[in-house]
């Protein structure tokens, strides 16, 4: 590799054959030095080579590891997981509070919660719909973090629904419409909130996902979904209203989802929790989110803690 090259965390994860969260954990602990280009984090090729030469620890999927060298001291960097643009605004405000820019991981809701459980993230966002209760997030957080003390803080509410072609030529308005023979969908990856919403609605409506054309066709973001619909690769996909304004598609609103923040409650995190709640209650911060069209009825409120 050329020393002039640089890599994203995703590319490094593929090179080292580890998960993306492992790479973010290495950056968080100071074992890999990263820099930012706009919103994107990158690591120089020479830094990656030096890391491997130093023989620092990389935990593999089978649980094996090498003993880290003495200089692998942890960093105070904060890792924020989630994809919504509101989190980038939160990261910018948090930088003013802690005097360093938080690291951003763009993983889905379920994987983010698992990362929090494993200590690989500090703040995670979730929008996980539970069909049995008709509510968001709390049922999943309680089950996944059953052995942890945590706090769920209200963040934003946003409208989820269908992206369809301009004019909605196939008259798609409801979940059962996705089973029509002339309809093909594009899906999110497993663990994403939009994927879980779709799967829960299929369960509630007794829809066999194997009979839905395109169910296995996966995209990594709401914008990818909207772009796929705009380009005619599929007829419909699930996403949020804000992103529909960035692509030439129509949006069919279906549900208001709660997009909450989850943090572990421990001595190390108490100052962070306080800083986050202070930011969420700030009128200036709320105005920035309001300009993007978000509902903030319960922003900063504690939805659950244990």
């Amino acid at each position: 590799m050329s020393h002039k090259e640089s890599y994203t965390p995703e590319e490094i994860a593929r090179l080292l054959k580890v998960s993306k969260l492992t790479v973010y954990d290495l950056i968080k602990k100071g074992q890999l030095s990263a820099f930012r280009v706009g919103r994107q984090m990158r690591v120089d090729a020479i830094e990656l080579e030096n890391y491997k030469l130093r023989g620092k620890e990389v935990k593999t999927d089978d649980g094996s590891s090498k003993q880290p060298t003495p200089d692998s001291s942890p960093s105070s960097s904060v890792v924020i997981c989630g994809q919504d643009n509101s989190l980038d605004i939160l990261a910018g405000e948090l930088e003013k509070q802690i005097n360093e820019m938080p690291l951003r991981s763009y993983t889905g809701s379920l994987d983010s919660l698992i990362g929090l459980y494993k200590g690989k993230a500090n703040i995670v966002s979730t929008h996980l719909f539970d069909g049995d209760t008709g509510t968001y997030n709390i049922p999943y957080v309680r089950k996944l973090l059953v052995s942890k003390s945590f706090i769920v803080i209200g963040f934003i509410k946003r409208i989820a629904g269908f992206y369809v072609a301009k004019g909605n030529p196939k008259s798609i308005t409801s979940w059962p419409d996705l089973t029509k023979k002339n309809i093909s969908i594009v899906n999110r990856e497993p663990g994403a909130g939009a994927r879980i919403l779709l799967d829960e609605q299929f369960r509630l409506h007794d829809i066999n996902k194997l009979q839905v054309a395109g169910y296995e066709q996966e995209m990594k973001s709401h914008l990818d979904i909207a772009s796929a619909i705009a380009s005619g690769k599929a007829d419909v996909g699930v996403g949020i209203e804000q992103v529909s304004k960035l692509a030439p598609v129509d949006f069919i609103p279906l549900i208001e989802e709660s997009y909450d923040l989850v943090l572990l409650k421990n001595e190390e995190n108490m100052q962070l929790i306080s800083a986050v709640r202070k930011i969420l209650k700030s009128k200036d911060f709320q105005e920035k989110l309001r300009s993007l069209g978000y509902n903030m009825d319960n922003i900063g409120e504690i939805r659950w803690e244990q």
Side-chain angles (χ1 to χ4, degrees):
M1 68 178 68
S2 168
H3 287 180
K4 295 181 180 180
E5 287 184 284
S6 64
Y7 297 93
T8 65
E10 292 81 359
E11 291 168 334
I12 292 175
R14 288 194 292 269
L15 288 170
L16 297 181
K17 297 182 179 179
V18 297
S19 73
K20 186 168 60 175
L21 281 177
T22 296
V23 177
Y24 279 109
D25 193 42
L26 294 174
I27 295 172
K28 176 185 174 183
K29 291 179 177 178
Q31 296 178 18
L32 269 177
S33 296
F35 63 95
R36 287 185 175 274
V37 179
R39 293 179 178 176
Q40 189 179 69
M41 188 182 301
R42 301 193 72 86
V43 175
D44 280 328
I46 190 170
E47 168 63 17
L48 180 58
E49 283 192 25
N50 288 339
Y51 167 79
K52 291 191 287 186
L53 289 173
R54 290 193 301 267
K56 291 191 173 183
E57 180 179 25
V58 176
K59 290 190 175 181
T60 59
D61 290 338
D62 63 7
S64 62
S65 64
K66 295 180 180 180
Q67 190 67 26
T69 55
D71 63 333
S72 59
S73 56
S75 164
S76 60
S77 295
V78 172
V79 176
I80 302 177
C81 287
Q83 295 186 345
D84 196 275
N85 290 337
S86 58
L87 297 172
D88 297 317
I89 300 174
L90 175 62
E93 293 298 318
L94 196 55
E95 180 183 15
K96 301 173 186 177
Q97 299 277 338
I98 63 176
N99 296 319
E100 63 175 305
M101 186 66 179
L103 307 180
R104 287 283 283 112
S105 169
Y106 296 89
T107 51
S109 292
L110 198 57
D111 287 342
S112 293
L113 278 177
I114 293 171
L116 183 68
Y117 180 86
K118 292 181 177 180
K120 295 183 176 181
N122 303 92
I123 304 171
V124 305
S125 60
T126 64
H127 58 112
L128 298 169
F129 176 73
D130 176 59
D132 293 328
T133 63
T135 64
Y136 271 85
N137 303 324
I138 305 299
Y140 293 89
V141 178
R142 293 184 65 190
K143 290 177 182 178
L144 284 173
L145 302 183
V146 63
S147 63
K148 304 284 188 179
S149 292
F150 62 85
I151 184 169
V152 180
I153 305 174
F155 189 32
I156 57 176
K157 292 185 177 181
R158 55 189 199 179
I159 303 299
F162 293 148
Y163 300 146
V164 297
K166 281 290 186 181
N168 194 9
K170 295 194 175 179
S171 302
I172 302 168
T173 59
S174 67
W175 301 102
D177 286 343
L178 305 189
T179 64
K180 294 179 180 178
K181 291 183 179 180
N182 67 332
I183 302 295
S184 66
I185 75 168
V186 62
N187 208 350
R188 286 294 304 279
E189 76 279 10
R195 172 70 167 259
I196 289 172
L197 173 61
L198 179 68
D199 287 344
E200 283 290 87
Q201 293 295 341
F202 280 1
R203 180 173 67 85
L204 294 173
H205 289 86
D206 197 25
I207 295 172
N208 183 349
K209 63 184 180 183
L210 299 179
Q211 296 178 343
V212 178
Y215 179 85
E216 300 297 335
Q217 186 179 192
E218 297 174 0
M219 299 287 175
K220 290 290 187 180
S221 71
H222 294 294
L223 186 57
D224 287 341
I225 295 285
S227 297
I229 304 306
S231 62
K233 294 180 180 178
D235 299 305
V236 59
V238 176
I240 61 170
E241 184 176 18
Q242 280 74 15
V243 173
S244 70
K245 300 172 184 177
L246 303 177
V249 296
D250 280 351
F251 181 73
I252 310 299
L254 294 172
I255 189 171
E256 183 179 63
E257 57 180 21
S258 295
Y259 194 75
D260 298 322
L261 303 179
V262 187
L263 298 89
L264 294 183
K265 279 176 54 182
N266 51 43
E267 187 174 347
E268 180 183 351
N269 274 356
M270 296 315 293
Q271 186 174 356
L272 178 62
I273 291 172
S274 177
V276 168
R277 294 195 69 200
K278 180 180 179 180
I279 292 169
L280 299 187
K281 290 295 187 180
S282 162
K283 290 184 178 180
D284 180 64
F285 177 73
Q286 291 184 14
E287 188 58 37
K288 291 177 181 178
L289 296 187
R290 189 172 289 109
S291 69
L292 298 176
Y294 293 115
N295 180 328
M296 292 169 289
D297 285 348
N298 66 343
I299 190 168
E301 295 178 6
I302 298 175
R303 295 199 61 222
W304 192 277
E305 66 178 317
Q306 69 178 41

